[in-house]
Amino acid sequence: EADIYQTPRYLVIGTGKKITLECSQTMGHDKMYWYQQDPGMELHLIHYSYGVNSTEKGDLSSESTVSRIRTEHFPLTLESARPSHTSQYLCASSELGRSSGNTIYFGEGSWLTVV
Amino acid sequence: KQEVTQIPAALSVPEGENLVLNCSFTDSAIYNLQWFRQDPGKGLTSLLLIQSSQREQTSGRLNASLDKSSGRSTLYIAASQPGDSATYLCAVRGSGNTPLVFGKGTRLSVIA
């Protein structure tokens, strides 16, 4: 079973508020990811990291930012939330090397609603 | 740019049926392919991972095959059960440690 945790699971906030979605994993994985998924739609990669102090933007342009100060922690921040940011945000992690085949493990997701 | 397509988008079958979900990808230069299950409102659970050098992987009632040259993978579910109802996603990873590219998924309903 995967040991990757996301908080909060559900959040409703007002437009213009700052929000940080937390993601932690206890598997010692180097690679971590944030995906955005609207209901019934595909996952879009918005940010990823290969390790501490490494962050990259994904395929989908996002107004969010991420940081990777510790291996186990990969928070995502929206400085000024808008209704268009309403979505499910999924955090994931995997090992960097090839020994495990790079199986990716997902958290339960954070449902964000901006009103 | 890699594109992943899953057919059908939705499928409803009676309990006990054997079924096949299809996944195709445009760039055959992949490192591996992974099948996931997603329950409503939840994250993804990895079901099977096939390396580019492998032809198939099996886990219980699930069997996934890979034909890299033709850009196709299938997920076979034997003796389906209502508990199999979920969305099944296919994702491929290219060479060079690139992130996964996901399909839109197949939403499966198994009717008791």
Side-chain angles (χ1 to χ4, degrees), chain A residues 9-10 31 33 35 37 41-43 45 48 50 88 90 94 96 98 101-104 106-109 111, chain B residues 1 31-32 34 36 38 41-46 49 51 89 93 96-104:
Chain A
R9 288 274 287 124
Y10 303 94
K31 295 177 75 172
Y33 315 82
Y35 289 87
Q37 184 184 32
M41 303 298 287
E42 68 260 56
L43 280 78
L45 180 67
Y48 60 102
Y50 286 136
Q88 183 184 28
L90 289 161
S94 67
L96 184 59
R98 296 187 173 187
N102 298 128
T103 299
I104 186 169
F106 280 81
E108 291 277 277
W111 282 97
Chain B
K1 180 185 173 184
Y31 177 59
N32 61 37
Q34 206 162 345
F36 295 87
Q38 185 176 30
K42 298 289 185 70
L44 280 68
T45 301
S46 179
L49 183 148
Q51 303 289 1
L89 294 112
R93 185 188 299 278
N97 255 334
T98 53
L100 286 170
V101 177
F102 283 85
K104 292 186 178 182

Side-chain angles (χ1 to χ4, degrees), chain B residues 2 25-32 52 68 93-95 98:
Chain B
Q2 178 75 271
F25 44 96
T26 54
D27 185 351
S28 62
I30 65 168
Y31 177 59
N32 61 37
S52 61
K68 199 173 75 162
R93 185 188 299 278
S95 57
T98 53

Side-chain angles (χ1 to χ4, degrees), chain B residues 8-88:
Chain B
L11 181 64
S12 184
V13 300
E15 182 177 6
E17 289 281 313
N18 301 324
L19 57 100
V20 174
L21 308 182
N22 296 290
C23 171
S24 61
F25 44 96
T26 54
D27 185 351
S28 62
I30 65 168
Y31 177 59
N32 61 37
L33 181 145
Q34 206 162 345
W35 282 94
F36 295 87
R37 169 186 173 135
Q38 185 176 30
D39 292 291
K42 298 289 185 70
L44 280 68
T45 301
S46 179
L47 297 173
L48 291 164
L49 183 148
I50 310 177
Q51 303 289 1
S52 61
S53 58
Q54 296 175 324
R55 299 280 303 206
E56 65 177 348
Q57 282 285 335
T58 298
S59 176
R61 293 183 294 108
L62 305 179
N63 175 276
S65 68
L66 174 64
D67 184 344
K68 199 173 75 162
S69 61
S70 67
R72 295 178 188 274
S73 175
T74 61
L75 179 67
Y76 175 82
I77 302 178
S80 58
Q81 303 170 359
D84 295 331
S85 297
T87 297
Y88 291 81

Side-chain angles (χ1 to χ4, degrees), chain A:
Chain A
E1 190 165 317
D3 294 318
I4 180 165
Y5 307 101
Q6 292 186 237
T7 58
R9 288 274 287 124
Y10 303 94
L11 181 66
V12 180
I13 61 171
T15 297
K17 297 293 187 184
K18 178 180 178 179
I19 176 65
T20 295
L21 304 180
E22 303 287 349
C23 177
S24 296
Q25 50 94 7
T26 59
M27 296 172 282
H29 287 168
D30 290 306
K31 295 177 75 172
M32 295 190 73
Y33 315 82
W34 276 103
Y35 289 87
Q36 185 175 344
Q37 184 184 32
D38 293 327
M41 303 298 287
E42 68 260 56
L43 280 78
H44 291 287
L45 180 67
I46 51 175
H47 296 283
Y48 60 102
S49 166
Y50 286 136
V52 171
N53 294 326
S54 153
T55 60
E56 303 285 345
K57 289 189 180 295
D59 299 327
L60 182 67
S61 173
S62 173
E63 294 164 342
S64 59
T65 59
V66 292
S67 63
R68 190 84 185 275
I69 298 172
R70 303 199 314 265
T71 298
E72 63 271 23
H73 197 213
F74 192 41
L76 180 144
T77 297
L78 280 165
E79 291 291 336
S80 180
R82 295 209 302 265
S84 61
H85 295 141
T86 294
S87 188
Q88 183 184 28
Y89 293 84
L90 289 161
C91 181
S93 72
S94 67
E95 290 186 17
L96 184 59
R98 296 187 173 187
S99 59
S100 68
N102 298 128
T103 299
I104 186 169
Y105 299 93
F106 280 81
E108 291 277 277
S110 292
W111 282 97
L112 175 65
T113 301
V114 184
V115 297

